[in-house]
């Protein structure tokens, strides 16, 4: 679709966004943390996973290490880089089914423009207010720090689980 600001899509809530791919073990391991954020803050924050091109594709160059030779198939999933929008959406659906997170799943374009726009970092965690102001950004998503940033922004501690 057309370029859109997160704040325009979800104007009533701040946003938590984490980038992930099904072949990124640390990203996959963080999915329960997103469910915890959603449970603690409820409808006061929108929680999303931006599925990006595969971090560790089999038989292809990783976009994290473009100067290295193609990697063998990933031991976790044996995935290769998606070759079409339909295949990309299929990977995102697999991610959603496999990790059953409370976050909504969104998908970047084939050229990964959304991932590039938010910072080109692995397993990136962002917190954005309703005006589009970036309040928190960290590569290698850390739920404790992200929880604290959201709690600080909303003006109170998150409810106990």
């Amino acid at each position: 679709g057309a370029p859109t600001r997160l704040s325009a899509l979800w104007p009533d809530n701040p946003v938590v966004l984490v980038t992930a791919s099904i072949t990124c073990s640390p990203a996959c391991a963080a999915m329960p943390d997103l469910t915890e954020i959603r449970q603690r803050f409820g409808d006061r924050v929108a929680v999303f996973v931006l599925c990006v091109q595969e971090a560790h594709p089999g038989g292809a160059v990783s976009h994290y290490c473009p100067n290295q030779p193609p990697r063998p198939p990933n031991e976790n999933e044996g995935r290769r880089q998606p070759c079409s929008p339909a295949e990309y959406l299929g990977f995102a659906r697999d991610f959603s089914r496999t990790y059953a997170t409370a976050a909504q799943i969104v998908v970047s374009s084939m050229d990964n423009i959304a991932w590039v726009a938010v910072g080109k970092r692995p397993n990136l965690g962002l917190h954005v207010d309703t005006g589009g102001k970036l309040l928190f950004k960290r590569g290698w998503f850390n739920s404790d720090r992200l929880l604290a940033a959201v709690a600080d922004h909303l003006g109170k501690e998150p409810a106990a689980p």
Side-chain angles (χ1 to χ4, degrees), residues 53-77:
Q53 294 227 355
E54 297 310 299
H56 310 286
V61 173
S62 169
H63 54 259
Y64 296 120
C65 307
N67 297 322
Q68 293 183 358
R71 306 178 80 131
N74 185 276
E75 292 179 11
N76 296 335
E77 297 292 335

Side-chain angles (χ1 to χ4, degrees), residues 6-57:
L6 287 177
S7 58
L9 292 175
W10 308 288
D12 298 329
N13 296 87
V15 173
V16 167
L17 176 80
V18 172
T19 62
S21 71
I22 199 166
T23 59
C24 181
S25 297
C28 295
M31 292 305 103
D33 297 335
L34 291 182
T35 297
E36 179 182 353
I37 289 171
R38 181 75 175 137
Q39 289 171 342
R40 287 188 178 203
F41 294 102
D43 292 336
R44 296 178 62 209
V45 66
V47 181
F48 295 88
V49 171
L50 173 63
C51 283
V52 298
Q53 294 227 355
E54 297 310 299
H56 310 286

